[in-house]
Amino acid sequence: MNEYIFYTCEGTTYPPKVEVVENCQVIGREYGMDCTEAHKNLEKNRPWIKRCGFDVEGFICKQLLTDETKKDIREVIDYLIKDEQRHFQECGKPEKHIYHTLLRLANVVK
């Protein structure tokens, strides 16, 4: 199951030292197989969202990397990295090589 975060740019917040701030607001996190399923779960599990007048169709949805997903990515990287590093070097260290992608992903899932 994937985890998603939902936020909106509508509305305002009230911080401690300023009267009103217009900014994005996190509505909540929810699980689902995809963003659509998670969105349905968000509405079902948080009825206050519609009561407060938020435009639920305007929510921005971003998938979060769960610990399980990070572990899976790490496992794939560990499996591939030595062979791809060797291939990268044998090919003369080309600018466009999957090895660069593996290194970027490795930094994401540290």
Side-chain angles (χ1 to χ4, degrees):
M1 190 77 57
N2 299 314
E3 185 177 12
Y4 297 86
I5 188 165
F6 293 87
Y7 65 97
T8 181
C9 294
E10 66 179 329
T12 55
T13 57
Y14 296 88
K17 294 185 180 182
V18 180
E19 289 185 23
V20 175
V21 174
E22 290 186 32
N23 60 5
C24 295
Q25 297 181 62
V26 173
I27 300 298
R29 296 182 340 207
E30 194 56 72
Y31 291 91
M33 292 304 294
D34 57 26
C35 195
T36 302
E37 182 180 322
H39 192 277
K40 289 176 187 174
N41 292 337
L42 182 80
E43 287 187 56
K44 180 179 78 175
N45 296 330
R46 294 169 183 79
W48 61 265
I49 293 172
K50 280 191 177 179
R51 280 197 315 267
C52 290
F54 283 104
D55 173 19
V56 295
E57 298 305 317
F59 287 169
I60 300 157
C61 175
K62 296 292 180 182
Q63 185 175 352
L64 300 174
L65 286 179
T66 62
D67 289 340
E68 182 180 10
T69 302
K70 287 179 185 179
K71 181 180 159 282
D72 292 345
I73 293 169
R74 182 84 246 165
E75 190 173 317
V76 170
I77 291 168
D78 290 345
Y79 179 81
L80 295 173
I81 197 119
K82 288 180 185 174
D83 287 339
E84 291 305 330
Q85 182 181 27
R86 185 172 39 259
H87 186 258
F88 171 72
Q89 291 170 344
E90 288 170 353
C91 291
K93 300 181 179 180
E95 223 175 274
K96 292 187 177 188
H97 193 280
I98 192 70
Y99 181 65
H100 297 294
T101 305
L102 291 171
L103 291 176
R104 283 195 305 273
L105 285 173
N107 283 324
V108 169
V109 295
K110 284 184 185 181

